[in-house]
Amino acid sequence: MSAVRTVTETRAYAKPDSKSAQLWERAQAVLPGGNSRTTVFMAPRPIYAAEGDGCWITDVDGDRRLDLLNNYTSLIHGHAHPSITEAATRRLARGASFPLPTAEEIDLAAVIAERVASVDHVRFTNSGSEAVMMAIKAARGFTGRPKIAKFEGAYHGSYDWAEVSLGSGPDEWGPADAPASIAYSKGTPPSVLEDVIVLPFNRTELAVARIEKEAKHLAAVLIDPMPNRAGLIPARADFLRAMREVTTKHGICLIFDEVISFRLGYHGAQGLFDIRPDLTSFGKIIGGGFPVGAVGGSAEVMAVFDPRGGKPKVPHGGTFNANPVTMAAGLAAMRLMDEKAFDRLDEVGRKLRSGMEACFERAGVPGAVTGMGSLFRLHPAQKNFVDYRSGAASKDENARLDRLHRQLIDHGILISPTGLGCVSTAVGEAEVEYFLEVLNTCIHASKGESA
Ligand SMILES: Cc1ncc(COP(=O)(O)O)c(C=O)c1O
């Protein structure tokens, strides 16, 4: 099969008088650093999007790129899928939001509860960050305990407690059996750090020992079964089973953060690993491209939100919770994802990952690919990927990844600066072939560049 297009330069944005440059000038006057979302900043300045269609994004200067980032994994059908657009606009034409519940939230909650065995009840939020926050609050409300445990390097959004030790470096991260609790944002109260126990990922004995030691104070163990920022390294099944066992033994809530990993299968990552957490946070794909989050869990734990007997243990307002436009779009997106659709997506993801590995091998350039299902993360070096520390790149390796990323951006491919990417259902064989051809070109080009 021939590629969808030949490799071309997509550098119009870099001209000093480009439309992106002009927007960037205006942005800096009214937004801090011209930015509303730290992740989308790109030095020396970002590229502005104009529109998206399937797996392609056109920027404001007219260059088209293959979108393998899908708004950081949230668009499982790519851009402007006709069924999702139709569902959202039909709902929008009848009113965007109300001070009353709507039928759509019941339908989307039912889809999630039907697919995820650990979920009886669902509450919607407006982001994955809020979903994680509400899961932690639910666990505290349910257990009456103050502390949580989370894994080093794992990203769970911007709730203070969930951010701890997200980006700690070798000079501060402490011993392997007791990673230090390091603030991510300046000004994080010391009390937050005292209430977060940091665990090593995929290191069963060390993590279990630490949980046992802190058990009587722990409301929750929060885990992403394939934490992106910690390397997109899948959890070992026996490690997850150990986490389930030790939390059950001590009455601690096990929270799965499936904000990204829900795209790993019809029953989510927990279905693949056959683990039933007490609470799960969702986001991204369940909103069909609109802002969304949800926390789900057993009826017993989720009862902390139940308002029928007066003020609930954990009150949870939110002007836009379960917004009907989001619910309608999310429902359309999820209904398109039957088990066969997940199988097809996984197959495309597998081909992409093995093709990427082959590109590095052929070029004789150090590189590796982690991930599962539709997700991949490109690393600038081959390592023994087990946890955050073992997967962490050196300064030189990161500089090499930066150069490769820039080459990809300049040759029609969009992935994240950290090497994260994913496929949507809009990606076919021709796009995979195109991507691998560009990657090959870029690996060679970045090989020739100096740091
Ligand atoms: C695993 C995980 N949890 C939570 C979040 C936060 O979600 P949101 O960006 O919707 O607040 C993210 C976002 O990327 C995530 O990857």
Side-chain angles (χ1 to χ4, degrees):
M1 180 179 274
S2 65
V4 273
R5 59 182 242 190
T6 48
V7 182
T8 43
E9 283 214 337
T10 47
R11 284 185 48 79
Y13 77 93
K15 294 192 186 120
D17 61 344
S18 69
K19 288 192 178 144
S20 267
Q22 289 166 27
L23 288 171
W24 172 239
E25 276 308 307
R26 282 183 54 210
Q28 289 172 95
V30 286
L31 303 164
N35 178 266
S36 281
R37 184 180 175 193
T38 314
T39 24
V40 301
F41 176 71
M42 226 178 79
R45 60 175 143 82
I47 300 167
Y48 284 79
E51 53 197 67
D53 175 19
C55 53
W56 294 91
I57 292 181
T58 308
D59 72 21
V60 287
D61 291 291
D63 274 331
R64 264 159 67 82
R65 290 180 186 79
L66 177 64
D67 182 13
L68 291 180
L69 192 47
N70 290 293
N71 194 17
Y72 279 80
T73 78
S74 53
L75 306 169
I76 201 146
H77 302 291
H79 301 275
H81 188 289
S83 306
I84 301 173
T85 304
E86 208 243 300
T89 47
R90 195 160 13 100
R91 176 64 256 191
L92 184 59
R94 294 166 51 231
S97 62
F98 306 95
L100 302 170
T102 61
E104 283 87 352
E105 72 183 282
I106 309 168
D107 294 336
L108 187 56
V111 165
I112 295 170
E114 185 262 317
R115 294 183 182 198
V116 185
S118 68
V119 171
D120 301 319
H121 292 161
V122 176
R123 277 185 87 92
F124 289 103
T125 63
N126 300 290
S127 68
S129 294
E130 278 177 72
V132 169
M133 173 176 78
M134 293 319 298
I136 291 172
K137 292 181 75 166
R140 289 187 196 129
F142 182 72
T143 60
R145 299 173 184 168
K147 295 192 179 188
I148 66 156
K150 65 149 305 207
F151 290 86
E152 192 170 40
Y155 179 65
H156 299 284
S158 36
Y159 185 45
D160 286 328
W161 285 261
E163 266 188 350
V164 172
S165 294
L166 161 59
S168 34
D171 51 335
E172 59 187 357
W173 63 26
D177 59 345
S181 296
I182 305 293
Y184 190 61
S185 303
K186 193 132 183 104
T188 303
S191 60
V192 168
L193 304 179
E194 279 159 28
D195 281 339
V196 179
I197 305 302
V198 181
L199 304 171
F201 187 72
N202 262 342
R203 311 270 182 190
T204 308
E205 272 181 36
L206 299 183
V208 168
R210 198 138 204 235
I211 294 169
E212 295 266 2
K213 194 161 161 238
E214 297 285 343
K216 64 174 188 294
H217 305 294
L218 284 178
V221 170
L222 170 64
I223 187 163
D224 177 339
M226 191 166 73
N228 156 43
R229 295 270 275 269
L232 204 73
I233 303 161
R236 289 200 329 267
D238 62 310
F239 169 72
L240 289 178
R241 274 197 301 278
M243 293 303 102
R244 180 62 285 184
E245 275 161 27
V246 69
T247 48
T248 303
K249 179 175 157 199
H250 293 287
I252 301 164
C253 289
L254 181 65
I255 304 175
F256 261 37
D257 182 351
E258 293 231 31
V259 168
I260 289 186
S261 69
F262 197 48
R263 66 156 44 234
L264 287 179
Y266 187 79
H267 306 288
Q270 57 194 268
L272 293 180
F273 289 108
D274 195 23
I275 301 281
R276 291 193 189 191
D278 303 291
L279 289 159
T280 304
S281 52
F282 301 93
K284 307 224 186 223
I285 67 165
I286 66 162
F290 287 81
V292 78
V295 51
S298 66
E300 190 193 1
V301 179
M302 291 294 287
V304 297
F305 296 118
D306 186 342
R308 286 174 296 186
K311 184 184 163 214
K313 279 188 178 161
V314 181
H316 173 220
T319 306
F320 293 105
N321 289 356
N323 174 269
V325 181
T326 301
M327 298 293 106
L331 202 54
M334 294 313 293
R335 283 188 175 145
L336 288 165
M337 286 311 296
D338 56 14
E339 297 196 55
K340 277 203 183 116
F342 275 106
D343 289 346
R344 278 196 298 272
L345 200 63
D346 288 1
E347 186 51 34
V348 178
R350 243 191 312 275
K351 276 195 183 137
L352 203 82
R353 283 191 304 276
S354 63
M356 290 166 78
E357 279 163 357
C359 282
F360 284 110
E361 223 166 275
R362 266 200 314 271
V365 165
V369 185
T370 54
M372 247 169 81
S374 56
L375 290 154
F376 67 85
R377 186 157 161 192
L378 193 157
H379 297 264
Q382 183 59 259
K383 315 216 167 212
N384 177 26
F385 294 104
V386 176
D387 59 5
Y388 174 62
R389 296 185 186 191
S390 60
S394 68
K395 218 170 150 213
D396 282 354
E397 289 163 351
N398 273 329
R400 206 160 62 232
L401 180 61
D402 276 351
R403 292 199 295 278
L404 180 56
H405 176 252
R406 176 62 62 182
Q407 287 285 346
L408 288 166
I409 290 286
D410 288 351
H411 290 88
I413 301 290
L414 190 62
I415 65 168
S416 90
T418 58
L420 172 71
C422 66
V423 291
S424 68
T425 57
V427 172
E429 283 197 17
E431 287 82 15
V432 170
E433 202 182 302
Y434 169 68
F435 170 61
L436 295 176
E437 200 178 322
V438 180
L439 180 62
N440 203 33
T441 307
C442 294
I443 288 175
H444 281 97
S446 58
K447 200 169 145 181
E449 285 177 34
S450 59

